Amino acid sequence: MTIDFKVEVEKRKEAMMEDLFSLLRINSERDDSQADDKHPFGPGPVKALEHFLAMAERDGYKTRNIDNYAGDFEFGQGDEVLGIFAHLDVVPAGSGWDTNPYEPVIKDGKLFARGSSDDKGPTMACYYALKIIKDLGLPVSKKVRFIVGTDEESGWGDMDYYFAHNGLKDPDFGFSPDAEFPIINGEKGNITEYLHFAGDNSGAFTLLSFTGGLRENMVPESATAAFTADAALADLQEKLNAFTQEQGVTAELTEEIGVFKLTVIGKSAHGSTPEAGVNGATYLAKFLNQFAFEGAAKAYLDITGNVLHQDFAAEKLGVAYTDDKMGALSMNAGVFSFDKESDDNTIALNFRYPQGTDAQTIKAGLEKLEGITKVTLSEHEHTPHYVPVEDPLVATLLSVYEKQTGLKGHEQIIGGGTFGRLLKRGVAYGAMFPGYVNTMHQANEFAEVEDLYRAAAIYAEAIYELIK
């Protein structure tokens, strides 16, 4: 039986985009301020989950909602199970958008919306791929379990809960449509480590507060400091003008009742590629370091502006490491929180590390920094993950990619973390193609509309080859 999956996608383009638009209109950012027993990560992720499961029920699937943490449905029959893991939550939209991030719009063939590329667009492409197989009644010998989570962008609490409470055996193998083609069969480890500081400081310059960053896996787009100073606004503004011109960032300085407020604006990016962003917090500290801050503030600003600034490989931190296969460790200084009245101020450092090092080794290196009170680790850690290129799962996915694109497939190892690593034989597969512009976690996130259709055709053939 020969099926032209590209033609089948062509027949469903309008329906696929309509369903995607309706999903993108849902603000599914995590909101802990509204979390409760019925909304473990806030109401937005639950609304997206319910919407997606209702869509699946419309199309004839029997769905399950696992206590608003995650959901799934199955297709096919057989003892072996292919798991497809996608997520419906998104990182905060932030500022700097040219359009409403939750009102999708297509301009010049690009679909702009938060979640268009990470991960609602690829999720819908994969959903329609399976729908094609179902609509055509193609014979299969394995099951597909389509699983959607609601906390991938934060702590993966959705999948922790899902695997503990879903009541079914784990899928035997699977993939996540949450990265790029031709395949991601290796992922570095992922751990966030927190530097802790005291708050007491006083002198000619006193730091009252320093805040920046929305999530640990995002480069802080901006940061703001409040401080008192033995200096005039005009003098500080003159120094700031010289700094912004030299560094290529923008900033705003104001004074009210003797308190200066300074915001530096950079550019957000995915935490796995911190070099692609401009860290507003480290630039802010770099500027403030020229002044006579003392005590805890001096240590906080020194580490932020002198050590963390552009230290993407953690060389100045003293924990750099490179593995021949998985590459180099990377570091994103993601969230900053300092208050003069607090004795526990923090900087959250998100590390993507290869095999050969680990969280405790990194922690031991960080503990050598001067001026910190302690180092702690996040509750959630992902250790390095790798599926050999010889594995039939990897071989099949690469073969389909090569057939449909005419491009040579090859293995890839990334610093990003995907649900592909949830299974021992799990990978990430698409939906972004080589040469794509990566706007994940950034303002004006977009996906190429034709790329989503191309991905749907690849997913359809790949799923069928794995389960026929």
Side-chain angles (χ1 to χ4, degrees), residues 440-462:
M440 294 181 180
H441 295 202
Q442 300 179 36
N444 299 313
E445 175 185 348
F446 71 84
E448 297 280 355
V449 174
E450 287 303 318
D451 280 356
L452 291 177
Y453 296 142
R454 291 170 66 198
I458 291 175
Y459 286 141
E461 184 165 357

Side-chain angles (χ1 to χ4, degrees), residues 6-18:
K6 294 180 181 179
V7 170
E8 295 300 328
V9 171
E10 185 76 26
K11 297 175 183 177
R12 297 164 174 81
K13 277 185 173 182
E14 186 175 334
M16 174 178 155
M17 201 52 55
E18 183 177 336

Side-chain angles (χ1 to χ4, degrees), residues 4-143:
D4 189 330
F5 289 102
K6 294 180 181 179
V7 170
E8 295 300 328
V9 171
E10 185 76 26
K11 297 175 183 177
R12 297 164 174 81
K13 277 185 173 182
E14 186 175 334
M16 174 178 155
M17 201 52 55
E18 183 177 336
D19 279 338
L20 176 54
F21 267 53
S22 65
L23 188 60
L24 289 169
R25 288 191 176 104
I26 299 172
N27 179 340
S28 52
E29 300 174 14
R30 177 170 174 160
D31 184 356
D32 290 338
S33 69
Q34 298 190 64
D36 55 36
D37 290 344
K38 294 185 180 298
H39 307 88
F41 311 112
V46 173
K47 186 176 180 181
L49 176 62
E50 291 175 340
H51 181 90
F52 183 86
L53 295 179
M55 181 185 70
E57 289 177 359
R58 174 202 70 191
D59 292 334
Y61 297 106
K62 183 179 179 181
T63 67
R64 300 191 306 162
N65 183 331
I66 312 300
D67 298 330
N68 284 340
Y69 282 80
D72 67 15
F73 63 84
E74 288 192 337
F75 166 79
Q77 58 278 321
D79 295 330
E80 286 190 86
V81 179
L82 164 67
I84 298 174
F85 292 85
H87 71 90
L88 303 174
D89 59 307
V90 296
V91 297
S95 59
W97 286 75
D98 297 330
T99 60
N100 181 340
Y102 294 109
E103 184 50 52
V105 60
I106 296 176
K107 297 191 300 182
D108 299 324
K110 298 178 174 66
L111 172 57
F112 290 88
R114 176 57 92 214
S116 57
S117 64
D118 184 18
D119 182 40
K120 293 176 181 177
T123 297
M124 196 61 66
C126 210
Y127 177 85
Y128 265 78
L130 182 60
K131 188 175 187 300
I132 288 170
I133 296 171
K134 179 178 182 293
D135 288 350
L136 297 179
L138 300 180
V140 300
S141 63
K142 300 180 181 68
K143 287 182 181 177

